[in-house]
Amino acid sequence: MPSQPMKIVIPDLVSHCDFPLRCNPCEAQASLECKEWLFRGGKMSEKKKSAFHGLKAGLLTSWCYPKASYNELRVCCDFMNWLFHLDNISDDMNDYGTSRTAVDIMNALYHPHTYSPVSPEGRMTQDYWRRLIPTATPGTQQRFMETMDFFFQAVTQQAVDRANGVVPDLDSYIALRRDTSGCKPCWALIEYAYNLDIPDEVMEHPVIVSLGEAANDLVTWSNVRHPAFSFMCLIFIDVFMQDIFSYNVEQSKGDTHNMIVVMMKQEGLDLQGAVEFVGNLCKQSIDRFVEDRGNLPSWSPEIDRQVETYVEGLADWIVGSLHWSFESERYFGKTGLEVKQTRVVDLLPRRS
């Protein structure tokens, strides 16, 4: 047995991402009120409430939507708190429990004024959704609902994989992970937060799609060469960052739904090699985002202005979530700022 705990060295993504980090001036008020909203509606134990303070979901939201007005920021913050709460309770659900909760939530979204939710999560969904729809465009609403539907389908499959101890192959993992992250609805909230009304044909333009995927499901089609890995790869900035930062907690639980685990199994890499490989993918994704951002087409002065705001919102999400990962206690406990400097992570023991 080694005398020192096992460690990994995570990649320096902070230095590689030079987008400006900005914070919404309403962060303190929104953080307080959103936690109170969640605690009232979520029926959480005192232990879970205490742990939630260290999550700092309000700070994440304020970094990701730095120019939103208070009402819009509050809805976005409520959604983020709700999403983290949902992630926490889903860890204890089987596929049936996940599906039942998903149906309740989706009914609350599709029928906000006629459906009566049966779960706390469904009732909270109805509450924030009723506040969002008066000012969100039909296109924004549709994109939000569709991506939430994809999210629940993917989370249900993840629950099945977790129960069976399945390590998916790379293609299956990427196809699933692009939706389990929960990032796609957050892109729709960029439209809502800044009162954007971008036509569907613009949102579906290949460059806009590529930029959205560069921050979430980034189709960079980069030529990544590695033994037994010579094919064009889908790269996902936020998911890959999350997989690097969350690996320690997940490996302690025996969770196999992580890109690092997939690369170790599929490519025969050791742990540190897999961490570095995923880190390089993430850096290449950031580079591709910058490249695509410089290749935006032009539609009209007003559409161009709104597209610029949307793309700036994607950049805010990339840099905001990166820095929040070290400020929050979600991944590194109370040592996040130390890890940000040293990049050394002591691995937790596996739970029996």
Side-chain angles (χ1 to χ4, degrees), residues 223-265:
N223 286 302
V224 180
R225 298 295 177 182
H226 183 274
F229 189 70
S230 55
F231 54 88
M232 305 300 275
C233 182
L234 291 170
I235 301 177
F236 179 8
I237 293 178
D238 273 330
V239 161
F240 286 178
M241 287 195 300
Q242 290 173 20
D243 279 9
I244 292 170
F245 299 150
S246 67
Y247 171 77
N248 193 21
V249 172
E250 290 175 356
Q251 66 83 24
S252 72
K253 300 176 182 178
D255 194 339
T256 57
H257 193 75
N258 187 289
M259 182 69 164
I260 292 172
V261 177
V262 173
M263 295 310 300
M264 290 175 66
K265 179 179 179 180

Side-chain angles (χ1 to χ4, degrees), residues 3 23 28 47-48 53 124 128 132 144 155 164 172-173 176 192 207 218 229 235 244 251 269 271 276 300 318 340:
S3 58
C23 188
K47 181 179 180 180
K48 290 187 176 181
H53 290 300
M124 287 189 288
Y128 72 68
L132 180 148
F144 183 91
V155 167
N164 295 324
S172 299
Y173 177 81
L176 193 65
Y192 162 74
V207 175
L218 178 60
F229 189 70
I235 301 177
I244 292 170
Q251 66 83 24
L269 299 173
L271 175 56
E276 292 171 1
S300 71
I318 294 170
K340 188 177 185 180

Side-chain angles (χ1 to χ4, degrees), residues 139-345:
T140 297
Q141 294 179 46
Q142 187 62 30
R143 279 184 281 277
F144 183 91
M145 289 187 290
E146 286 180 353
T147 53
M148 283 302 301
D149 202 355
F150 294 151
F151 166 77
F152 281 118
Q153 292 178 41
V155 167
T156 300
Q157 182 59 50
Q158 180 184 353
V160 173
D161 289 348
R162 181 187 293 121
N164 295 324
V166 172
V167 179
D169 61 60
L170 183 63
D171 290 341
S172 299
Y173 177 81
I174 291 175
L176 193 65
R177 192 68 172 96
R178 66 176 66 141
D179 290 316
T180 60
S181 70
C183 289
K184 289 181 180 179
C186 299
W187 301 171
L189 290 181
I190 295 173
E191 300 176 65
Y192 162 74
Y194 299 122
N195 299 303
L196 303 180
D197 187 8
I198 304 176
D200 290 345
E201 60 268 23
V202 175
M203 292 299 293
E204 294 165 3
H205 189 280
V207 175
I208 300 299
V209 171
S210 181
L211 280 162
E213 292 177 340
N216 175 352
D217 189 57
L218 178 60
V219 182
T220 60
W221 304 114
S222 62
N223 286 302
V224 180
R225 298 295 177 182
H226 183 274
F229 189 70
S230 55
F231 54 88
M232 305 300 275
C233 182
L234 291 170
I235 301 177
F236 179 8
I237 293 178
D238 273 330
V239 161
F240 286 178
M241 287 195 300
Q242 290 173 20
D243 279 9
I244 292 170
F245 299 150
S246 67
Y247 171 77
N248 193 21
V249 172
E250 290 175 356
Q251 66 83 24
S252 72
K253 300 176 182 178
D255 194 339
T256 57
H257 193 75
N258 187 289
M259 182 69 164
I260 292 172
V261 177
V262 173
M263 295 310 300
M264 290 175 66
K265 179 179 179 180
Q266 181 158 322
E267 305 305 324
L269 299 173
D270 63 17
L271 175 56
Q272 185 60 47
V275 170
E276 292 171 1
F277 187 86
V278 177
N280 286 333
L281 292 181
C282 193
K283 291 177 180 180
Q284 292 170 15
S285 302
I286 296 171
D287 295 341
R288 181 57 185 268
F289 180 92
V290 173
E291 179 182 346
D292 282 344
R293 193 176 186 179
N295 292 326
L296 281 169
S298 178
W299 289 273
S300 71
E302 175 58 21
I303 295 299
D304 291 353
R305 180 193 67 80
Q306 294 195 51
V307 167
E308 182 179 355
T309 298
Y310 177 75
V311 175
E312 184 179 58
L314 295 174
D316 286 333
W317 249 99
I318 294 170
V319 68
S321 61
L322 173 58
H323 285 268
W324 167 83
S325 297
F326 299 102
E327 293 283 344
S328 171
E329 295 178 13
R330 181 173 178 83
Y331 301 128
F332 307 113
K334 297 184 182 298
T335 66
L337 295 179
E338 178 184 345
V339 171
K340 188 177 185 180
Q341 294 296 322
T342 66
R343 298 190 288 114
V344 176
V345 179

